[in-house]
Amino acid sequence: MADGHIILQDLRKSFGPKHVLNGVSLSVPKGHSLVVIGGSGTGKSVMLKCVLGILRADSGSIRIGGEEVVGLKGAARDDYLSRFGMLFQGSALFDSIPVWENVAFGLIQGRNMARAQARDIAIEKLSQVGLTAEVAKLYPAELSGGMQKRVGLARAIAADPEIIFFDEPTTGLDPIMADIINKLIVDCVKRLGATTISITHDMASARKIADDIAMIHKGEIIWQGPAKTIDYSDNPYVDQFIHGRGTGPIQMEVLKA
Amino acid sequence: MNPFQPIGRAVLALLAEIGRVSLFLKDAIVQGLTPTFYGRQILEQMWRIGYNSLPVVGLTAFFTGGALALQIYQGSTPGTASTLVPNIVALGITRELGPVLGGLMVAGRVGASIAAELGTMRVTEQIDALVTLSTNAFKYLVGPRLIAAVVTLPILVAIGDTIGIMGGYIVGTRSLGMNSYAYIKTTADFLHLDDVTSGLIKTAVFGLIIAIMGCYHGFNSKGGAQGVGRATTNAVVSASILILAANFALTNLLFTE
Ligand SMILES: Nc1ncnc2c1ncn2[C@@H]1O[C@H](COP(=O)(O)OP(=O)(O)O)[C@@H](O)[C@H]1O
Ligand SMILES: [Mg+2]
């Protein structure tokens, strides 16, 4: 636990009366890939946004490489964020600029790299996710969902981050495209040697990219273990989730949510 | 049921909103108007806010100047018309109608587009993505819009003032049969630089109001397309009301000894 690259301890976050994170604790060793599974609205995205400081956690500790990062400001925060890459749930590409500039954005704006040099890196990263230089000139709205995900992936890895978050990388894609994205994620992560947290509710995807799997339910981690052991977890929540059963301890809060 | 309860609640909500807008304004100035500056963004916004508003502001000023000339002619005697029409058209346009109507037209055009654009960026997580790419959203998005609005609006209105006075001149000389040379001479005699500059000072404040309201409502929009629509409406309505209120306050300050 203590030697994890990313360590969250008792992270809590509420929006008004709504408690979303109720003490999340988890640890990811350096170079490992953790997949967090859990139903919709259980606080998975909120957890990642707290780590990135997009949302401010109410309490708890977030340590990256042994360093407490809650409450970082200004230049220290920019330095901190430059160690991360993030693939957003809806790709979140900037629609006013072409694909290559999306990928190069962090290099040009965040790191003041010359545009020509950043462009070359962007084209290289795009080719790593299987996109040609032709695509680089298009605008995000001209791409299919799967291609947008690839561009988002290229943007996330553009600055060679040491930590990458993937928020539902395969949601909304057909199974074949999902498999391609999974493979790209595994390849990219291996190439960079990055530590990653991925969020998904797609078990095929989880099995493909995870070293470890954690399950979140009602804002708490209720199970964490090596990916291979998930089928023998003896945890009724995990069993219900991975087999996609309508009945079990997890009640879909369709009406309450 | 206490009849004062809804009133009290509305007042409290208003005060809270004023507080939030003030904090936003502080961030916009402290973060958005300090280095580093994004030159490209500033130029692009100047183009979009300033240059593209020229037709709207120009046409508004032209028709207003013309209508004003007709009304003043109606209200004056044959003997006084030749001085009153050019005089009041020039003062009315430069001190009040140019800035206020120009400001309101730009609030509709630009305030709405800023709120819609930033609102869409908010709900599609593009603003969150900026943060993860080590780019300060206040510097990258708010600062350039603020600078562009405050700088270009006075230029726009100065051009509008000229066109408005020309509108009065055309109506005066073509349809009211006034002497062209005398009209220009009277305008030049009565119009002081003070009238123009005080009008332009107002306009710079209106530019600030438009940009801040557009950015504030865009940044705080939530809940998809409907939320963006609401943000757009709120941006235009609040900017328009604030422009009229600020105009009253500034007129008091600038034109009464
Ligand atoms: N900015 C916010 N303001 C208020 N509520 C939020 C906000 N962000 C997320 N929530 C709420 O927190 C809960 C968890 O959201 P999220 O983490 O996005 O779920 P998921 O696990 O599907 O990613 C949801 O019920 C959502 O409505
Ligand atoms: Mg989510």
Side-chain angles (χ1 to χ4, degrees):
Chain A
M1 197 79 177
D3 60 346
H5 193 192
I6 305 170
I7 301 174
L8 310 186
Q9 251 163 10
D10 202 24
L11 204 62
R12 289 168 192 275
K13 174 74 187 172
S14 308
F15 296 101
K18 185 171 187 173
H19 302 294
V20 176
L21 300 182
N22 295 310
V24 168
S25 300
L26 54 80
S27 162
V28 193
K30 196 166 177 60
H32 270 234
S33 164
L34 173 73
V35 168
V36 178
I37 58 174
S40 297
T42 47
K44 303 183 299 295
S45 298
V46 168
M47 178 183 81
L48 291 190
K49 286 179 184 174
C50 285
V51 177
L52 291 167
I54 293 169
L55 293 172
R56 191 177 307 151
D58 298 333
S59 67
S61 144
I62 300 168
R63 270 179 294 151
I64 305 294
E67 209 183 318
E68 179 64 48
V69 297
V70 170
L72 281 184
K73 285 205 177 92
R77 177 150 186 262
D78 289 346
D79 282 349
Y80 167 67
L81 284 170
S82 69
R83 298 159 68 186
F84 285 85
M86 164 106 182
L87 173 58
F88 283 85
Q89 198 166 338
S91 297
L93 300 177
F94 305 125
D95 39 35
S96 59
I97 54 179
V99 163
W100 77 265
E101 244 185 289
N102 264 281
V103 177
F105 194 92
L107 302 172
I108 297 173
Q109 313 296 354
R111 305 190 171 191
N112 296 316
M113 188 183 284
R115 289 173 71 82
Q117 189 190 354
R119 189 191 167 110
D120 291 343
I121 294 177
I123 304 246
E124 159 66 21
K125 296 289 176 184
L126 282 168
S127 78
Q128 284 178 19
V129 298
L131 295 175
T132 61
E134 260 78 273
V135 176
K137 288 182 233 127
L138 300 177
Y139 282 82
E142 298 172 276
L143 305 181
S144 68
M147 283 164 100
Q148 290 184 358
K149 276 276 153 73
R150 292 187 196 212
V151 176
L153 178 57
R155 184 173 73 178
I157 61 171
D160 297 334
E162 60 179 80
I163 298 169
I164 313 176
F165 292 159
F166 301 99
D167 193 350
E168 304 200 13
T170 58
T171 301
L173 301 180
D174 66 76
I176 297 170
M177 182 56 78
D179 196 58
I180 292 172
I181 296 284
N182 287 333
K183 196 164 171 315
L184 286 172
I185 289 176
V186 172
D187 289 349
C188 292
V189 170
K190 204 175 286 166
R191 191 178 300 126
L192 291 172
T195 308
T196 64
I197 298 182
S198 314
I199 284 173
T200 190
H201 37 224
D202 167 2
M203 279 317 294
S205 173
R207 289 174 201 279
K208 200 147 281 172
I209 56 189
D211 295 320
D212 297 307
I213 296 181
M215 174 146 174
I216 190 170
H217 181 61
K218 292 196 171 163
E220 275 178 88
I221 302 290
I222 55 165
W223 184 83
Q224 181 173 4
K228 290 189 268 313
T229 66
I230 189 150
D231 292 312
Y232 319 103
S233 69
D234 272 339
N235 183 311
Y237 291 87
V238 174
D239 277 343
Q240 187 192 349
F241 190 87
I242 63 177
H243 295 113
R245 295 195 197 102
T247 52
I250 305 173
Q251 301 293 319
M252 277 292 157
E253 300 186 343
V254 184
L255 295 175
K256 274 201 261 167
Chain B
M1 170 77 184
N2 184 340
F4 293 107
Q5 217 169 13
I7 301 174
R9 201 173 295 133
V11 170
L12 286 181
L14 180 68
L15 290 178
E17 183 76 356
I18 291 172
R20 281 191 294 268
V21 172
S22 308
L23 284 178
F24 188 86
L25 178 64
K26 189 208 84 185
D27 283 340
I29 292 170
V30 172
Q31 297 182 49
L33 301 184
T34 51
T36 46
F37 293 105
Y38 291 99
R40 258 168 194 275
Q41 297 304 313
I42 296 174
L43 289 180
E44 187 184 328
Q45 291 306 322
M46 285 187 162
W47 178 265
R48 284 168 53 177
I49 295 175
Y51 186 79
N52 289 345
S53 298
L54 256 178
V56 173
V57 172
L59 286 171
T60 306
F62 182 82
F63 291 124
T64 307
L68 199 56
L70 287 175
Q71 295 287 17
I72 300 163
Y73 188 78
Q74 293 285 315
S76 52
T77 59
T80 55
S82 65
T83 50
L84 280 185
V85 172
N87 183 5
I88 299 181
V89 165
L91 288 189
I93 291 284
T94 55
R95 286 181 168 203
E96 289 294 327
L97 295 172
V100 172
L101 292 182
L104 290 176
M105 295 308 284
V106 175
R109 203 191 148 268
V110 171
S113 91
I114 291 178
E117 186 181 8
L118 299 193
T120 305
M121 290 185 75
R122 165 62 74 202
V123 301
T124 57
E125 299 186 312
Q126 290 180 51
I127 294 182
D128 293 341
L130 270 184
V131 175
T132 66
L133 297 167
S134 308
T135 304
N136 181 324
F138 276 94
K139 288 191 193 305
Y140 187 76
L141 297 173
V142 180
R145 285 165 175 78
L146 193 58
I147 293 170
V150 171
V151 171
T152 59
L153 212 64
I155 300 174
L156 267 177
V157 167
I159 297 170
D161 284 352
T162 317
I163 296 175
I165 291 175
M166 242 160 58
Y169 166 82
I170 290 173
V171 169
T173 54
R174 294 289 151 85
S175 69
L176 304 176
M178 299 170 69
N179 179 287
S180 155
Y181 172 77
Y183 193 105
I184 294 171
K185 173 125 188 11
T186 317
T187 302
D189 284 347
F190 275 97
L191 190 61
H192 294 292
L193 192 60
D194 283 359
D195 301 319
V196 180
T197 47
S198 53
L200 297 185
I201 290 170
K202 284 183 181 179
T203 312
V205 176
F206 300 164
L208 177 99
I209 290 172
I210 292 167
I212 289 294
M213 285 297 119
C215 293
Y216 172 78
H217 288 287
F219 259 53
N220 289 297
S221 60
K222 38 178 148 307
Q226 200 184 9
V228 175
R230 206 178 307 125
T232 308
T233 309
N234 288 343
V236 175
V237 171
S238 60
S240 303
I241 291 173
L242 284 175
I243 283 175
L244 294 172
N247 182 56
F248 177 66
L250 289 169
T251 301
N252 248 321
L253 211 75
L254 292 165
F255 295 110
T256 52
E257 279 84 284

